[in-house]
Amino acid sequence: MSEINGNYGGRITGWGIALGSETITNDDLASRMDTSNEWILERTGIKERRIGGSTAGLAVQAGQDALEMAGCKAEDIDLLILATTTPDDQIPATSGMVQHELGLTCGAMDLNAACSGFVYSLVTGFGFLKLGYKRVLIIGSETLSRVTDWEDRSTAILFGDGAGAVVIEAEEGNGCLLGWNLGCEGSLRDILYAEVGGKIIMAGKEVFRKAVIAMTDSAKSSIAAAGLSSNDISYVIPHQANIRIIESAMKRLGIAENRAVSVLQKTGNTSSASIPIALFKALNDGRVKSGDILLLVGFGAGMTSASAIIQWSESNE
Ligand code: COA
């Protein structure tokens, strides 16, 4: 039983990722459709992507590693939030399968905010820590290869499969979440969608334009909510859709491009998995130090946007 205690914040104490089993290079795509490695690299920054596996299967792999790193047993977790826009079934929610496979005994739910799903889930998870839960497992997991039209060169080059997970744990005080912002512009549904059972349809140029604005606006709101300025941001962990989107957003935010963490060269766009995969890279290559301020920011179909400011501290390590 959990007592509401608004004085609790949280910390990220474990993290893990999983990627699709098969590597598809740009040259592999060029052998199947009218495109080239040069075009894809120049227009997107993507070199290869990983595909294969199920949304639940990838989520379980990433989740297991996150639990292990946090030193948690399955029964220690009070809630599972699975961000996905590619559930394995229409009914039930994929989180149920993940809950079962991980041996969790807690509640579980899917959250669909497309590529903003991980940050939406992270903020939701921190809310539950304030409501009295001690540990929440948050996973973004996607198998976009199943909803990609492999005949359509304007979308097939972009997407990949993967998962990223974090454990957040309650602690007294404000915790590491300093500011956040969640947004949605529902009128933009038609620029990026897939009907039930259908494939992704996208107006690429329009999505690009809106994405830069949505990302920048959301990031600015979170930075302001945290009482900070762009100069305070140590690293940006952006949604990994297109390197040119990241570069444009960084320019608008006035943050040096080398502060953005990118993994899309090797993963493509893995939707709600992309931010935790990039976070994993930043944490594991040792560049993030105690006291650093991280800006996690994403955008996606909906059109959704989300950002969170996280202050890293010794107790995360
Ligand atoms: N290979 C070669 N040529 C391609 C191509 C490909 N894979 N895809 C499109 N083209 C062609 C187009 O047919 C067009 O040819 P034309 O000038 O003869 O008509 C030309 O390249 C330019 O196409 P355009 O769509 O204007 O390219 P772009 O620079 O906007 O890049 C995207 C296309 C999709 C890479 C880019 O718009 C994008 O990344 N958009 C955002 C997508 C996104 O982030 N989605 C996920 C959101 S979560």
PDB file of all heavy atoms in Angstrom, residues 33-36 39-40 43-44 115 153-154 157-159 192 202-208 211 239 241-242 244-245 269 299-301 303, ligand 1:
ATOM      1  N   MET A  33      15.465  -1.031 -53.503  1.00  0.00           N
ATOM      2  CA  MET A  33      14.636   0.106 -53.925  1.00  0.00           C
ATOM      3  C   MET A  33      15.514   1.209 -54.503  1.00  0.00           C
ATOM      4  O   MET A  33      16.734   1.165 -54.354  1.00  0.00           O
ATOM      5  CB  MET A  33      13.782   0.628 -52.763  1.00  0.00           C
ATOM      6  CG  MET A  33      14.595   1.102 -51.580  1.00  0.00           C
ATOM      7  SD  MET A  33      13.592   1.701 -50.212  1.00  0.00           S
ATOM      8  CE  MET A  33      12.829   0.198 -49.637  1.00  0.00           C
ATOM      9  N   ASP A  34      14.861   2.186 -55.135  1.00  0.00           N
ATOM     10  CA  ASP A  34      15.586   3.243 -55.834  1.00  0.00           C
ATOM     11  C   ASP A  34      16.092   4.289 -54.821  1.00  0.00           C
ATOM     12  O   ASP A  34      15.453   5.321 -54.612  1.00  0.00           O
ATOM     13  CB  ASP A  34      14.640   3.892 -56.862  1.00  0.00           C
ATOM     14  CG  ASP A  34      15.362   4.938 -57.688  1.00  0.00           C
ATOM     15  OD1 ASP A  34      16.613   4.972 -57.630  1.00  0.00           O
ATOM     16  OD2 ASP A  34      14.676   5.728 -58.368  1.00  0.00           O
ATOM     17  N   THR A  35      17.199   3.968 -54.178  1.00  0.00           N
ATOM     18  CA  THR A  35      17.824   4.909 -53.235  1.00  0.00           C
ATOM     19  C   THR A  35      19.312   4.615 -53.200  1.00  0.00           C
ATOM     20  O   THR A  35      19.794   3.733 -53.942  1.00  0.00           O
ATOM     21  CB  THR A  35      17.201   4.795 -51.829  1.00  0.00           C
ATOM     22  OG1 THR A  35      17.680   5.851 -51.011  1.00  0.00           O
ATOM     23  CG2 THR A  35      17.499   3.458 -51.162  1.00  0.00           C
ATOM     24  N   SER A  36      20.062   5.336 -52.397  1.00  0.00           N
ATOM     25  CA  SER A  36      21.510   5.083 -52.313  1.00  0.00           C
ATOM     26  C   SER A  36      21.991   5.388 -50.903  1.00  0.00           C
ATOM     27  O   SER A  36      21.362   6.168 -50.164  1.00  0.00           O
ATOM     28  CB  SER A  36      22.258   5.977 -53.308  1.00  0.00           C
ATOM     29  OG  SER A  36      22.106   7.324 -52.905  1.00  0.00           O
ATOM     30  N   TRP A  39      22.495   9.196 -50.500  1.00  0.00           N
ATOM     31  CA  TRP A  39      21.281   9.998 -50.304  1.00  0.00           C
ATOM     32  C   TRP A  39      20.786   9.865 -48.851  1.00  0.00           C
ATOM     33  O   TRP A  39      20.501  10.857 -48.182  1.00  0.00           O
ATOM     34  CB  TRP A  39      20.173   9.571 -51.280  1.00  0.00           C
ATOM     35  CG  TRP A  39      19.033  10.559 -51.343  1.00  0.00           C
ATOM     36  CD1 TRP A  39      18.881  11.570 -52.242  1.00  0.00           C
ATOM     37  CD2 TRP A  39      17.916  10.653 -50.437  1.00  0.00           C
ATOM     38  NE1 TRP A  39      17.747  12.296 -51.969  1.00  0.00           N
ATOM     39  CE2 TRP A  39      17.131  11.760 -50.870  1.00  0.00           C
ATOM     40  CE3 TRP A  39      17.495   9.939 -49.318  1.00  0.00           C
ATOM     41  CZ2 TRP A  39      15.956  12.147 -50.211  1.00  0.00           C
ATOM     42  CZ3 TRP A  39      16.334  10.332 -48.671  1.00  0.00           C
ATOM     43  CH2 TRP A  39      15.578  11.427 -49.107  1.00  0.00           C
ATOM     44  N   ILE A  40      20.721   8.622 -48.380  1.00  0.00           N
ATOM     45  CA  ILE A  40      20.179   8.390 -47.024  1.00  0.00           C
ATOM     46  C   ILE A  40      21.078   9.059 -45.972  1.00  0.00           C
ATOM     47  O   ILE A  40      20.598   9.745 -45.064  1.00  0.00           O
ATOM     48  CB  ILE A  40      20.032   6.874 -46.723  1.00  0.00           C
ATOM     49  CG1 ILE A  40      19.106   6.211 -47.745  1.00  0.00           C
ATOM     50  CG2 ILE A  40      19.500   6.663 -45.312  1.00  0.00           C
ATOM     51  CD1 ILE A  40      19.085   4.694 -47.673  1.00  0.00           C
ATOM     52  N   ARG A  43      20.733  12.970 -46.246  1.00  0.00           N
ATOM     53  CA  ARG A  43      19.426  13.527 -45.879  1.00  0.00           C
ATOM     54  C   ARG A  43      18.993  13.177 -44.455  1.00  0.00           C
ATOM     55  O   ARG A  43      18.098  13.815 -43.905  1.00  0.00           O
ATOM     56  CB  ARG A  43      18.324  13.063 -46.856  1.00  0.00           C
ATOM     57  CG  ARG A  43      18.578  13.338 -48.320  1.00  0.00           C
ATOM     58  CD  ARG A  43      18.996  14.759 -48.616  1.00  0.00           C
ATOM     59  NE  ARG A  43      17.944  15.735 -48.329  1.00  0.00           N
ATOM     60  CZ  ARG A  43      18.144  17.044 -48.242  1.00  0.00           C
ATOM     61  NH1 ARG A  43      19.363  17.539 -48.365  1.00  0.00           N
ATOM     62  NH2 ARG A  43      17.136  17.850 -48.018  1.00  0.00           N
ATOM     63  N   THR A  44      19.590  12.087 -43.869  1.00  0.00           N
ATOM     64  CA  THR A  44      19.097  11.648 -42.545  1.00  0.00           C
ATOM     65  C   THR A  44      20.202  11.417 -41.506  1.00  0.00           C
ATOM     66  O   THR A  44      19.926  11.456 -40.310  1.00  0.00           O
ATOM     67  CB  THR A  44      18.322  10.311 -42.648  1.00  0.00           C
ATOM     68  OG1 THR A  44      19.246   9.257 -42.947  1.00  0.00           O
ATOM     69  CG2 THR A  44      17.246  10.362 -43.728  1.00  0.00           C
ATOM     70  N   CYS A 115       6.568   8.689 -30.784  1.00  0.00           N
ATOM     71  CA  CYS A 115       7.999   8.822 -30.465  1.00  0.00           C
ATOM     72  C   CYS A 115       8.262   9.636 -29.202  1.00  0.00           C
ATOM     73  O   CYS A 115       9.378   9.633 -28.684  1.00  0.00           O
ATOM     74  CB  CYS A 115       8.754   9.418 -31.651  1.00  0.00           C
ATOM     75  SG  CYS A 115       8.485   8.514 -33.180  1.00  0.00           S
ATOM     76  N   ARG A 153      10.317   4.229 -50.416  1.00  0.00           N
ATOM     77  CA  ARG A 153      11.668   4.684 -50.077  1.00  0.00           C
ATOM     78  C   ARG A 153      11.686   5.912 -49.163  1.00  0.00           C
ATOM     79  O   ARG A 153      12.700   6.210 -48.538  1.00  0.00           O
ATOM     80  CB  ARG A 153      12.471   4.981 -51.344  1.00  0.00           C
ATOM     81  CG  ARG A 153      11.974   6.169 -52.137  1.00  0.00           C
ATOM     82  CD  ARG A 153      12.853   6.452 -53.337  1.00  0.00           C
ATOM     83  NE  ARG A 153      12.381   7.635 -54.046  1.00  0.00           N
ATOM     84  CZ  ARG A 153      13.033   8.210 -55.040  1.00  0.00           C
ATOM     85  NH1 ARG A 153      14.163   7.688 -55.462  1.00  0.00           N
ATOM     86  NH2 ARG A 153      12.545   9.287 -55.627  1.00  0.00           N
ATOM     87  N   SER A 154      10.573   6.632 -49.120  1.00  0.00           N
ATOM     88  CA  SER A 154      10.571   7.842 -48.292  1.00  0.00           C
ATOM     89  C   SER A 154      10.368   7.528 -46.804  1.00  0.00           C
ATOM     90  O   SER A 154      10.645   8.368 -45.940  1.00  0.00           O
ATOM     91  CB  SER A 154       9.519   8.840 -48.780  1.00  0.00           C
ATOM     92  OG  SER A 154       8.238   8.328 -48.555  1.00  0.00           O
ATOM     93  N   ILE A 157      13.598   3.946 -45.259  1.00  0.00           N
ATOM     94  CA  ILE A 157      14.991   4.252 -44.905  1.00  0.00           C
ATOM     95  C   ILE A 157      15.153   4.724 -43.469  1.00  0.00           C
ATOM     96  O   ILE A 157      16.258   4.797 -42.943  1.00  0.00           O
ATOM     97  CB  ILE A 157      15.545   5.354 -45.847  1.00  0.00           C
ATOM     98  CG1 ILE A 157      14.662   6.607 -45.742  1.00  0.00           C
ATOM     99  CG2 ILE A 157      15.609   4.855 -47.281  1.00  0.00           C
ATOM    100  CD1 ILE A 157      15.311   7.857 -46.282  1.00  0.00           C
ATOM    101  N   LEU A 158      14.019   5.078 -42.837  1.00  0.00           N
ATOM    102  CA  LEU A 158      14.102   5.799 -41.560  1.00  0.00           C
ATOM    103  C   LEU A 158      14.072   4.923 -40.309  1.00  0.00           C
ATOM    104  O   LEU A 158      14.694   5.258 -39.312  1.00  0.00           O
ATOM    105  CB  LEU A 158      12.943   6.806 -41.442  1.00  0.00           C
ATOM    106  CG  LEU A 158      12.907   7.942 -42.469  1.00  0.00           C
ATOM    107  CD1 LEU A 158      11.638   8.764 -42.292  1.00  0.00           C
ATOM    108  CD2 LEU A 158      14.138   8.828 -42.340  1.00  0.00           C
ATOM    109  N   PHE A 159      13.292   3.833 -40.353  1.00  0.00           N
ATOM    110  CA  PHE A 159      12.892   3.204 -39.087  1.00  0.00           C
ATOM    111  C   PHE A 159      13.656   1.930 -38.733  1.00  0.00           C
ATOM    112  O   PHE A 159      14.187   1.240 -39.598  1.00  0.00           O
ATOM    113  CB  PHE A 159      11.385   2.922 -39.116  1.00  0.00           C
ATOM    114  CG  PHE A 159      10.565   4.178 -39.295  1.00  0.00           C
ATOM    115  CD1 PHE A 159       9.881   4.420 -40.480  1.00  0.00           C
ATOM    116  CD2 PHE A 159      10.517   5.135 -38.296  1.00  0.00           C
ATOM    117  CE1 PHE A 159       9.141   5.586 -40.658  1.00  0.00           C
ATOM    118  CE2 PHE A 159       9.787   6.310 -38.461  1.00  0.00           C
ATOM    119  CZ  PHE A 159       9.095   6.529 -39.646  1.00  0.00           C
ATOM    120  N   LEU A 192       1.372  12.159 -40.232  1.00  0.00           N
ATOM    121  CA  LEU A 192       2.111  10.938 -39.861  1.00  0.00           C
ATOM    122  C   LEU A 192       1.157   9.984 -39.149  1.00  0.00           C
ATOM    123  O   LEU A 192       0.763  10.243 -38.018  1.00  0.00           O
ATOM    124  CB  LEU A 192       3.296  11.313 -38.942  1.00  0.00           C
ATOM    125  CG  LEU A 192       4.183  10.169 -38.437  1.00  0.00           C
ATOM    126  CD1 LEU A 192       4.708   9.298 -39.557  1.00  0.00           C
ATOM    127  CD2 LEU A 192       5.348  10.728 -37.624  1.00  0.00           C
ATOM    128  N   MET A 202       3.473   9.149 -44.330  1.00  0.00           N
ATOM    129  CA  MET A 202       4.106  10.341 -43.755  1.00  0.00           C
ATOM    130  C   MET A 202       4.332  11.415 -44.810  1.00  0.00           C
ATOM    131  O   MET A 202       4.754  11.107 -45.915  1.00  0.00           O
ATOM    132  CB  MET A 202       5.463   9.917 -43.173  1.00  0.00           C
ATOM    133  CG  MET A 202       6.245  11.019 -42.517  1.00  0.00           C
ATOM    134  SD  MET A 202       7.846  10.419 -41.916  1.00  0.00           S
ATOM    135  CE  MET A 202       8.751  10.312 -43.431  1.00  0.00           C
ATOM    136  N   ALA A 203       4.043  12.643 -44.432  1.00  0.00           N
ATOM    137  CA  ALA A 203       4.410  13.802 -45.256  1.00  0.00           C
ATOM    138  C   ALA A 203       5.739  14.303 -44.705  1.00  0.00           C
ATOM    139  O   ALA A 203       5.770  15.126 -43.774  1.00  0.00           O
ATOM    140  CB  ALA A 203       3.330  14.870 -45.173  1.00  0.00           C
ATOM    141  N   GLY A 204       6.841  13.773 -45.230  1.00  0.00           N
ATOM    142  CA  GLY A 204       8.170  13.942 -44.641  1.00  0.00           C
ATOM    143  C   GLY A 204       8.580  15.382 -44.388  1.00  0.00           C
ATOM    144  O   GLY A 204       9.025  15.723 -43.288  1.00  0.00           O
ATOM    145  N   LYS A 205       8.425  16.217 -45.420  1.00  0.00           N
ATOM    146  CA  LYS A 205       8.872  17.605 -45.289  1.00  0.00           C
ATOM    147  C   LYS A 205       8.106  18.338 -44.192  1.00  0.00           C
ATOM    148  O   LYS A 205       8.662  19.111 -43.428  1.00  0.00           O
ATOM    149  CB  LYS A 205       8.661  18.345 -46.604  1.00  0.00           C
ATOM    150  CG  LYS A 205       9.890  18.365 -47.461  1.00  0.00           C
ATOM    151  CD  LYS A 205       9.781  19.452 -48.510  1.00  0.00           C
ATOM    152  CE  LYS A 205      10.962  19.456 -49.458  1.00  0.00           C
ATOM    153  NZ  LYS A 205      12.255  19.134 -48.906  1.00  0.00           N
ATOM    154  N   GLU A 206       6.783  18.098 -44.157  1.00  0.00           N
ATOM    155  CA  GLU A 206       5.930  18.747 -43.169  1.00  0.00           C
ATOM    156  C   GLU A 206       6.287  18.265 -41.756  1.00  0.00           C
ATOM    157  O   GLU A 206       6.360  19.068 -40.806  1.00  0.00           O
ATOM    158  CB  GLU A 206       4.457  18.427 -43.513  1.00  0.00           C
ATOM    159  CG  GLU A 206       3.422  19.240 -42.796  1.00  0.00           C
ATOM    160  CD  GLU A 206       3.528  20.749 -43.007  1.00  0.00           C
ATOM    161  OE1 GLU A 206       4.363  21.201 -43.814  1.00  0.00           O
ATOM    162  OE2 GLU A 206       2.781  21.467 -42.311  1.00  0.00           O
ATOM    163  N   VAL A 207       6.499  16.954 -41.614  1.00  0.00           N
ATOM    164  CA  VAL A 207       6.885  16.412 -40.302  1.00  0.00           C
ATOM    165  C   VAL A 207       8.212  17.041 -39.855  1.00  0.00           C
ATOM    166  O   VAL A 207       8.359  17.449 -38.705  1.00  0.00           O
ATOM    167  CB  VAL A 207       7.014  14.868 -40.342  1.00  0.00           C
ATOM    168  CG1 VAL A 207       7.620  14.338 -39.040  1.00  0.00           C
ATOM    169  CG2 VAL A 207       5.657  14.225 -40.586  1.00  0.00           C
ATOM    170  N   PHE A 208       9.139  17.144 -40.794  1.00  0.00           N
ATOM    171  CA  PHE A 208      10.450  17.733 -40.486  1.00  0.00           C
ATOM    172  C   PHE A 208      10.276  19.134 -39.907  1.00  0.00           C
ATOM    173  O   PHE A 208      10.805  19.473 -38.841  1.00  0.00           O
ATOM    174  CB  PHE A 208      11.288  17.786 -41.776  1.00  0.00           C
ATOM    175  CG  PHE A 208      12.731  18.144 -41.570  1.00  0.00           C
ATOM    176  CD1 PHE A 208      13.733  17.200 -41.780  1.00  0.00           C
ATOM    177  CD2 PHE A 208      13.114  19.430 -41.166  1.00  0.00           C
ATOM    178  CE1 PHE A 208      15.078  17.525 -41.589  1.00  0.00           C
ATOM    179  CE2 PHE A 208      14.443  19.755 -40.979  1.00  0.00           C
ATOM    180  CZ  PHE A 208      15.412  18.809 -41.196  1.00  0.00           C
ATOM    181  N   ALA A 211       8.490  19.149 -36.591  1.00  0.00           N
ATOM    182  CA  ALA A 211       9.297  18.486 -35.556  1.00  0.00           C
ATOM    183  C   ALA A 211      10.296  19.460 -34.934  1.00  0.00           C
ATOM    184  O   ALA A 211      10.466  19.492 -33.710  1.00  0.00           O
ATOM    185  CB  ALA A 211      10.039  17.294 -36.151  1.00  0.00           C
ATOM    186  N   HIS A 239      15.162  12.854 -29.480  1.00  0.00           N
ATOM    187  CA  HIS A 239      14.590  11.768 -30.287  1.00  0.00           C
ATOM    188  C   HIS A 239      15.417  11.635 -31.555  1.00  0.00           C
ATOM    189  O   HIS A 239      15.787  12.623 -32.184  1.00  0.00           O
ATOM    190  CB  HIS A 239      13.123  12.078 -30.611  1.00  0.00           C
ATOM    191  CG  HIS A 239      12.537  11.090 -31.567  1.00  0.00           C
ATOM    192  ND1 HIS A 239      12.719   9.730 -31.432  1.00  0.00           N
ATOM    193  CD2 HIS A 239      11.785  11.258 -32.695  1.00  0.00           C
ATOM    194  CE1 HIS A 239      12.104   9.110 -32.421  1.00  0.00           C
ATOM    195  NE2 HIS A 239      11.543  10.007 -33.201  1.00  0.00           N
ATOM    196  N   ALA A 241      15.430  10.909 -34.998  1.00  0.00           N
ATOM    197  CA  ALA A 241      14.666  10.722 -36.238  1.00  0.00           C
ATOM    198  C   ALA A 241      15.509  11.063 -37.455  1.00  0.00           C
ATOM    199  O   ALA A 241      15.498  10.327 -38.455  1.00  0.00           O
ATOM    200  CB  ALA A 241      13.413  11.587 -36.215  1.00  0.00           C
ATOM    201  N   ASN A 242      16.223  12.175 -37.375  1.00  0.00           N
ATOM    202  CA  ASN A 242      16.984  12.650 -38.523  1.00  0.00           C
ATOM    203  C   ASN A 242      18.036  13.607 -37.959  1.00  0.00           C
ATOM    204  O   ASN A 242      17.704  14.525 -37.194  1.00  0.00           O
ATOM    205  CB  ASN A 242      16.036  13.389 -39.485  1.00  0.00           C
ATOM    206  CG  ASN A 242      16.738  13.841 -40.745  1.00  0.00           C
ATOM    207  OD1 ASN A 242      17.890  14.262 -40.723  1.00  0.00           O
ATOM    208  ND2 ASN A 242      16.029  13.764 -41.867  1.00  0.00           N
ATOM    209  N   ARG A 244      19.510  15.993 -39.223  1.00  0.00           N
ATOM    210  CA  ARG A 244      19.276  17.400 -39.597  1.00  0.00           C
ATOM    211  C   ARG A 244      18.216  18.038 -38.698  1.00  0.00           C
ATOM    212  O   ARG A 244      18.262  19.239 -38.434  1.00  0.00           O
ATOM    213  CB  ARG A 244      18.888  17.496 -41.074  1.00  0.00           C
ATOM    214  CG  ARG A 244      20.054  17.130 -42.021  1.00  0.00           C
ATOM    215  CD  ARG A 244      19.688  17.395 -43.484  1.00  0.00           C
ATOM    216  NE  ARG A 244      18.563  16.607 -43.916  1.00  0.00           N
ATOM    217  CZ  ARG A 244      17.478  17.082 -44.519  1.00  0.00           C
ATOM    218  NH1 ARG A 244      17.337  18.371 -44.755  1.00  0.00           N
ATOM    219  NH2 ARG A 244      16.497  16.274 -44.883  1.00  0.00           N
ATOM    220  N   ILE A 245      17.256  17.245 -38.234  1.00  0.00           N
ATOM    221  CA  ILE A 245      16.263  17.768 -37.282  1.00  0.00           C
ATOM    222  C   ILE A 245      16.979  18.125 -35.971  1.00  0.00           C
ATOM    223  O   ILE A 245      16.775  19.189 -35.392  1.00  0.00           O
ATOM    224  CB  ILE A 245      15.125  16.742 -37.015  1.00  0.00           C
ATOM    225  CG1 ILE A 245      14.308  16.519 -38.291  1.00  0.00           C
ATOM    226  CG2 ILE A 245      14.237  17.200 -35.856  1.00  0.00           C
ATOM    227  CD1 ILE A 245      13.190  15.501 -38.157  1.00  0.00           C
ATOM    228  N   ASN A 269      15.418   5.405 -36.688  1.00  0.00           N
ATOM    229  CA  ASN A 269      14.425   5.943 -35.755  1.00  0.00           C
ATOM    230  C   ASN A 269      13.686   4.778 -35.090  1.00  0.00           C
ATOM    231  O   ASN A 269      12.953   4.050 -35.760  1.00  0.00           O
ATOM    232  CB  ASN A 269      13.460   6.838 -36.546  1.00  0.00           C
ATOM    233  CG  ASN A 269      12.331   7.399 -35.706  1.00  0.00           C
ATOM    234  OD1 ASN A 269      12.100   6.971 -34.578  1.00  0.00           O
ATOM    235  ND2 ASN A 269      11.607   8.360 -36.258  1.00  0.00           N
ATOM    236  N   PHE A 299       9.598  14.218 -30.126  1.00  0.00           N
ATOM    237  CA  PHE A 299       8.385  14.604 -30.837  1.00  0.00           C
ATOM    238  C   PHE A 299       7.941  13.375 -31.604  1.00  0.00           C
ATOM    239  O   PHE A 299       8.726  12.458 -31.837  1.00  0.00           O
ATOM    240  CB  PHE A 299       8.680  15.749 -31.835  1.00  0.00           C
ATOM    241  CG  PHE A 299       9.680  15.319 -32.875  1.00  0.00           C
ATOM    242  CD1 PHE A 299       9.275  14.732 -34.065  1.00  0.00           C
ATOM    243  CD2 PHE A 299      11.037  15.437 -32.628  1.00  0.00           C
ATOM    244  CE1 PHE A 299      10.209  14.270 -34.993  1.00  0.00           C
ATOM    245  CE2 PHE A 299      11.969  14.981 -33.559  1.00  0.00           C
ATOM    246  CZ  PHE A 299      11.553  14.409 -34.732  1.00  0.00           C
ATOM    247  N   GLY A 300       6.693  13.352 -31.996  1.00  0.00           N
ATOM    248  CA  GLY A 300       6.242  12.182 -32.745  1.00  0.00           C
ATOM    249  C   GLY A 300       4.847  12.353 -33.287  1.00  0.00           C
ATOM    250  O   GLY A 300       4.234  13.426 -33.146  1.00  0.00           O
ATOM    251  N   ALA A 301       4.357  11.285 -33.912  1.00  0.00           N
ATOM    252  CA  ALA A 301       3.015  11.305 -34.494  1.00  0.00           C
ATOM    253  C   ALA A 301       2.032  11.757 -33.426  1.00  0.00           C
ATOM    254  O   ALA A 301       2.224  11.520 -32.236  1.00  0.00           O
ATOM    255  CB  ALA A 301       2.655   9.924 -35.009  1.00  0.00           C
ATOM    256  N   MET A 303       0.285  15.288 -33.375  1.00  0.00           N
ATOM    257  CA  MET A 303       1.717  15.283 -33.172  1.00  0.00           C
ATOM    258  C   MET A 303       2.042  15.619 -31.717  1.00  0.00           C
ATOM    259  O   MET A 303       1.611  16.644 -31.190  1.00  0.00           O
ATOM    260  CB  MET A 303       2.355  16.302 -34.112  1.00  0.00           C
ATOM    261  CG  MET A 303       3.841  16.351 -34.046  1.00  0.00           C
ATOM    262  SD  MET A 303       4.514  17.346 -35.380  1.00  0.00           S
ATOM    263  CE  MET A 303       6.001  16.418 -35.624  1.00  0.00           C
TER     264      MET A 303
HETATM  265  N1  COA B   1      16.311   7.946 -51.892  1.00  0.00           N
HETATM  266  C1  COA B   1      16.487   8.762 -52.941  1.00  0.00           C
HETATM  267  N2  COA B   1      15.650   9.785 -53.220  1.00  0.00           N
HETATM  268  C2  COA B   1      14.603   9.950 -52.401  1.00  0.00           C
HETATM  269  C3  COA B   1      14.362   9.132 -51.294  1.00  0.00           C
HETATM  270  C4  COA B   1      15.264   8.092 -51.056  1.00  0.00           C
HETATM  271  N3  COA B   1      15.140   7.236 -50.007  1.00  0.00           N
HETATM  272  N4  COA B   1      13.250   9.541 -50.645  1.00  0.00           N
HETATM  273  C5  COA B   1      12.807  10.603 -51.342  1.00  0.00           C
HETATM  274  N5  COA B   1      13.614  10.835 -52.393  1.00  0.00           N
HETATM  275  C6  COA B   1      13.512  11.884 -53.407  1.00  0.00           C
HETATM  276  C7  COA B   1      12.113  12.422 -53.541  1.00  0.00           C
HETATM  277  O1  COA B   1      11.346  11.615 -54.411  1.00  0.00           O
HETATM  278  C8  COA B   1      12.382  13.802 -54.107  1.00  0.00           C
HETATM  279  O2  COA B   1      12.621  13.702 -55.497  1.00  0.00           O
HETATM  280  P1  COA B   1      12.070  14.833 -56.504  1.00  0.00           P
HETATM  281  O3  COA B   1      12.768  16.106 -56.071  1.00  0.00           O
HETATM  282  O4  COA B   1      12.482  14.321 -57.815  1.00  0.00           O
HETATM  283  O5  COA B   1      10.594  14.880 -56.263  1.00  0.00           O
HETATM  284  C9  COA B   1      13.692  14.214 -53.446  1.00  0.00           C
HETATM  285  O6  COA B   1      14.311  12.997 -53.013  1.00  0.00           O
HETATM  286  C10 COA B   1      13.505  15.120 -52.248  1.00  0.00           C
HETATM  287  O7  COA B   1      12.495  14.545 -51.427  1.00  0.00           O
HETATM  288  P2  COA B   1      12.042  15.198 -50.087  1.00  0.00           P
HETATM  289  O8  COA B   1      10.936  14.393 -49.490  1.00  0.00           O
HETATM  290  O9  COA B   1      11.823  16.647 -50.342  1.00  0.00           O
HETATM  291  O10 COA B   1      13.382  14.998 -49.241  1.00  0.00           O
HETATM  292  P3  COA B   1      13.749  15.558 -47.831  1.00  0.00           P
HETATM  293  O11 COA B   1      15.021  16.263 -47.900  1.00  0.00           O
HETATM  294  O12 COA B   1      12.598  16.231 -47.163  1.00  0.00           O
HETATM  295  O13 COA B   1      14.046  14.207 -47.021  1.00  0.00           O
HETATM  296  C11 COA B   1      12.990  12.824 -45.367  1.00  0.00           C
HETATM  297  C12 COA B   1      13.019  13.265 -46.827  1.00  0.00           C
HETATM  298  C13 COA B   1      11.868  11.836 -45.184  1.00  0.00           C
HETATM  299  C14 COA B   1      14.326  12.162 -45.046  1.00  0.00           C
HETATM  300  C15 COA B   1      12.812  14.092 -44.473  1.00  0.00           C
HETATM  301  O14 COA B   1      11.750  14.864 -44.965  1.00  0.00           O
HETATM  302  C16 COA B   1      12.523  13.750 -43.036  1.00  0.00           C
HETATM  303  O15 COA B   1      13.373  13.186 -42.344  1.00  0.00           O
HETATM  304  N6  COA B   1      11.339  14.123 -42.507  1.00  0.00           N
HETATM  305  C17 COA B   1      10.985  13.880 -41.143  1.00  0.00           C
HETATM  306  C18 COA B   1      10.613  12.447 -40.988  1.00  0.00           C
HETATM  307  C19 COA B   1      10.510  12.021 -39.544  1.00  0.00           C
HETATM  308  O16 COA B   1      11.248  12.489 -38.724  1.00  0.00           O
HETATM  309  N7  COA B   1       9.590  11.104 -39.244  1.00  0.00           N
HETATM  310  C20 COA B   1       9.419  10.539 -37.969  1.00  0.00           C
HETATM  311  C21 COA B   1       8.846  11.500 -37.011  1.00  0.00           C
HETATM  312  S1  COA B   1       8.817  10.822 -35.404  1.00  0.00           S
END
